[in-house]
Amino acid sequence: MPNINRRQFIQTSVLGMSASASLYSGVYSANNTSAKSDVDNTVQRLLVSGYRDQATQSRYGVLISDTQGNVISDITVADRVHMADLFPHNSPAAVLVNSRKPDAPLRKYSASGELLAELMPPENMHYEGHSVFSADGRFIYSTASDYQQQTGYVLEIFAADLTLNRVIATGGIGPHELIIDTDQLYIANTGVLTHPDSGRDPLNISTMKSELVQIDIPSGAIKQRWSSPIQALSARHLTQMPDGSVLVGCQYQKQDDRPATVALARHGESELQLLQPDNEHYYWDMKGYTASLRAFPASSAYAGTALISNPRGHLLSRWQPQQATQPDTHTMQYSKGISLGQDEGWISAGAGELWHWQAANQQLTKITATIKPDFWWENHLHSRILRVSGS
């Protein structure tokens, strides 16, 4: 793939394909199959993530780089970023920025850092940090919560100008990550109630109930629920496996145990099935936590394999949920975001490290020791395939 510089990037348009957003890897889409893009020599994969400035602890930004760690664009933003993503059908390219700060809007920036649009959440609501694009790129679906009603919602937003179109109830409390499969949404209702004035402090640990829900987008109806099997085990992050099941990364909200935190939701079942629940050594090292999850696309030779990061346990693990094998683990200090291509992946870690994962031999290679000074990655990393204008 050709390298592009910042000037070229600002002029780029996101590569259009017949299956649109579902063909891009690591883009909050349930069906990530980037087969064509990864071998097309006229396009290039770019990575995007939020970060914070370690020197000040009060400056925030979004960094766009190529897969070799070369900075393409560095955008200063007002609030701490939970996740950022490139718009799937914009020309020139644009960036969606999500924050979990209670009074922060959803924001759309140009690649040069110009604020193009923003949307404050509806009255008494706050964003929960995750969004996904519809397959045609027309809509954005963002998780939000209403503290007074103690109810979670998905906001359906027009991608072009960030205007609100519809509000869909998730049937639970504290929705966090969501993924999309054609016209179906899967949403992790964490069960954790927070107050906008107290940040992320949980208010209901002793009574919280978490679940995964499937919502039909056209009707807004809940089609299926999967409950968490352990009280205070909170479903947080999601990726869809090629067979349609959903791999769920959980976080345990109490300090009295370190239970299994990786689960699978299969259609026709009503409860999340914990994976390797007797693997006490592994879950002890996980410290009751998971961060990012990503599965290889169905078209990959490694379909059925997923990677899970854990910045608290300093682990990166490789799972094959449909097999009874134990996960392979790699030590990685403050492992954060994961983005996967057809047979390779990229992982962000700690103070600006960027790693490359080669699936064929499970080899991890450090690309950068620090992508820029005083830099600290936020939890999520995403990528899209871009075509350089005029190519």
Side-chain angles (χ1 to χ4, degrees):
M1 294 182 184
N3 290 322
I4 66 175
N5 59 32
R6 183 176 185 275
R7 178 184 178 88
Q8 288 174 309
F9 171 69
I10 293 172
Q11 298 174 346
T12 60
S13 60
V14 176
L15 177 65
M17 293 183 175
S18 59
S20 61
S22 66
L23 289 177
Y24 305 111
S25 172
V27 195
Y28 282 54
S29 173
N31 295 327
N32 293 322
T33 60
S34 53
K36 177 180 178 181
S37 298
D38 278 350
V39 297
D40 186 340
N41 61 12
T42 68
V43 299
Q44 184 177 9
R45 180 183 296 279
L46 295 182
L47 308 172
V48 58
S49 179
Y51 71 88
R52 68 178 182 267
D53 181 80
Q54 286 289 83
T56 64
Q57 292 292 321
S58 60
R59 292 174 54 190
Y60 309 104
V62 172
L63 194 80
I64 303 168
S65 76
D66 64 19
T67 55
Q68 298 305 309
N70 299 305
V71 176
I72 303 299
S73 186
D74 188 354
I75 302 169
T76 298
V77 298
D79 301 301
R80 184 177 176 183
V81 179
H82 191 73
M83 65 143 289
D85 195 4
L86 291 161
F87 278 68
H89 298 293
N90 263 59
S91 179
V95 184
L96 181 70
V97 178
N98 293 253
S99 175
R100 292 184 66 194
K101 186 180 176 184
D103 59 352
L106 190 69
R107 292 184 172 102
K108 178 180 181 178
Y109 290 90
S110 72
S112 60
E114 178 187 0
L115 181 62
L116 302 176
E118 62 179 24
L119 177 66
M120 292 297 296
E123 186 177 1
N124 296 325
M125 289 192 197
H126 59 275
Y127 289 109
E128 291 284 6
H130 281 271
S131 296
V132 64
F133 289 92
S134 62
D136 59 7
R138 185 185 180 201
F139 291 108
I140 297 165
Y141 296 95
S142 298
T143 50
S145 287
D146 184 323
Y147 167 77
Q148 292 188 353
Q149 299 295 324
Q150 299 188 9
T151 302
Y153 294 95
V154 170
L155 309 184
E156 184 179 69
I157 300 161
F158 286 106
D161 58 2
L162 297 193
T163 55
L164 182 63
N165 183 55
R166 185 170 50 138
V167 176
I168 305 169
T170 70
I173 293 174
H176 192 55
E177 186 166 26
L178 71 172
I179 56 176
I180 189 168
D181 182 2
T182 314
D183 62 354
Q184 303 294 300
L185 289 172
Y186 295 86
I187 302 141
N189 280 329
T190 67
V192 178
L193 181 67
T194 59
H195 192 286
D197 295 337
S198 60
R200 304 181 188 181
D201 295 339
L203 305 177
N204 65 334
I205 290 179
S206 63
T207 59
M208 59 163 284
K209 295 180 180 179
S210 182
E211 64 180 352
L212 174 71
V213 295
Q214 176 187 349
I215 290 180
D216 177 68
I217 294 175
S219 67
I222 296 175
K223 304 289 285 187
Q224 191 167 351
R225 297 176 183 265
W226 295 264
S227 62
S228 172
I230 300 175
Q231 197 278 320
L233 184 66
S234 176
R236 308 285 299 187
H237 296 112
L238 311 172
T239 190
Q240 192 172 46
M241 305 306 296
D243 65 353
S245 61
V246 177
L247 188 65
V248 183
C250 303
Q251 296 174 11
Y252 187 57
Q253 299 296 316
K254 294 182 178 180
Q255 302 299 320
D256 60 351
D257 196 7
R258 289 186 179 177
T261 53
V262 181
L264 196 65
R266 297 183 177 92
H267 287 278
E269 298 180 352
S270 60
E271 188 175 80
L272 298 178
Q273 301 300 309
L274 297 177
L275 300 183
Q276 299 285 326
D278 297 325
N279 192 342
E280 295 181 358
H281 177 76
Y282 172 78
Y283 285 115
W284 182 262
D285 290 344
M286 291 282 279
K287 298 185 177 180
Y289 195 82
T290 59
S292 295
L293 296 84
R294 286 292 175 263
F296 279 98
S299 58
S300 169
Y302 307 97
T305 297
L307 299 184
I308 300 177
S309 68
N310 187 311
R312 292 188 184 177
H314 307 295
L315 295 174
L316 179 74
S317 55
R318 184 183 70 96
W319 284 80
Q320 294 178 298
Q322 300 294 0
Q323 300 183 18
T325 54
Q326 293 190 4
D328 298 320
T329 60
H330 301 262
T331 299
M332 181 180 290
Q333 294 294 306
Y334 299 104
S335 59
K336 293 292 194 77
I338 300 169
S339 180
L340 298 183
Q342 193 66 7
D343 57 4
E344 58 185 336
W346 296 267
I347 303 98
S348 58
E353 292 180 6
L354 184 65
W355 293 78
H356 179 255
W357 169 276
Q358 189 61 51
N361 55 14
Q362 300 179 44
Q363 181 175 348
L364 272 171
T365 304
K366 185 186 290 187
I367 299 171
T368 64
T370 179
I371 204 163
K372 62 175 286 190
D374 299 320
F375 184 93
W376 192 263
W377 290 108
E378 294 295 358
N379 269 11
H380 299 287
L381 179 71
H382 302 287
S383 70
R384 287 194 187 273
I385 305 297
L386 302 184
R387 185 190 299 279
V388 178
S389 179
S391 64

